[in-house]
Amino acid sequence: MITVHTIKELRQHVKAARLAGRDIGFVPTMGNLHAGHISLIDRSTADGCYTVSSIFVNPLQFNDKSDLSRYPRTLPEDQQKLEAANCDLLFAPNVEEMYPAGQDEQSIVHVPVVSEGLCGGSRPGHFDGVSTVVTKLFNQVLPDKAYFGEKDFQQVAVIRKMVNDLCMPIDIIPVPTARAADGLALSSRNGYLSEEERELAPGLHKTLLEIADALNRRENLEQIVLQAQERLNNRGFKTDYLEIRLADNLSQLTDNALQSGEYANSAVVILGAAFLGSARLIDNIQVTLNQAFE
């Protein structure tokens, strides 16, 4: 695996791969890699792509500067994991390379509607930072395919809409959430958990599964969420949000439509975010409601 730190070097290697007839697969990350990230690399290599990954802790997407300062930087370990996964090229720029004119006057890419609410509501400006840096990375790498984990479901929706709206010739490929044996979604932020908190952490996924069961019984939508929030808090969490959305566009469900059967055969996504100690964990599950309306 080759590691480069400048856009010029990145483009030279990508151009050579493309001239050799290779499709370019891209996995953007902020580092501190785990098995979930590696599953994205594996998917790209399985697709036969010349696989490029990036590691860049993007300050533009952090509305909490203390969160930015403590985000783990583990480049040597990350390089070893990427090389073992047969990644071809790592792009690891510094802030000056990505924002040479500074961040204060940086042009911002804003993706409306799907970026609102959920994590966008809890972290103002977060998705503007994500869409801006991903646009820059896409312009630097010019990939044919880009791979994103479904754990960040809203992020995938934002990137997909951005690519469609801006006519970028890139296939956005979501990859299922990687989980520990007890159901916890793998995340770089899991490293913030104490041993006791790590034992409690699968409670978020369990709560989402309970919401799915209640939803398929067509219980009252508001009561489903309120009761689930109470259970989640009783499991040691501080709930940020629990929501049920249509999977294709993240629009809100209504109880009247649920009870009338309007959502029969619809794909929905149940999304949750909650604090456990100093860690903010997010997760989601996707379900199809056809079984509830037979």
Side-chain angles (χ1 to χ4, degrees), residues 138 178 234 263:
F138 282 175
N234 288 339
Y263 298 129

Side-chain angles (χ1 to χ4, degrees), residues 18-31:
R18 194 175 295 284
L19 288 173
R22 303 289 301 279
D23 282 345
I24 309 301
F26 181 43
V27 179
T29 83
M30 292 204 303

Side-chain angles (χ1 to χ4, degrees), residues 145-206:
K145 301 176 182 179
Y147 300 83
F148 292 86
E150 288 185 333
K151 178 181 72 69
D152 299 286
F153 192 92
Q154 187 178 18
Q155 175 176 274
V156 175
V158 168
I159 298 303
R160 182 182 284 120
K161 177 174 170 56
M162 179 188 79
V163 164
N164 289 338
D165 288 352
L166 300 182
C167 304
M168 297 180 180
I170 303 169
D171 290 333
I172 302 302
I173 300 176
V175 177
T177 302
R179 298 185 181 277
D182 58 9
L184 177 65
L186 300 186
S187 170
S188 298
R189 296 180 183 275
N190 293 350
Y192 298 158
L193 299 171
S194 67
E195 284 188 29
E196 180 181 358
E197 290 163 351
R198 176 59 185 85
E199 292 183 5
L200 298 174
L204 176 57
H205 184 234
K206 183 177 181 180

Side-chain angles (χ1 to χ4, degrees), residues 255-274:
D255 190 62
N256 287 340
L258 176 67
Q259 303 305 330
S260 70
E262 182 178 327
Y263 298 129
N265 302 311
S266 294
V268 303
V269 57
I270 304 165
L271 307 108

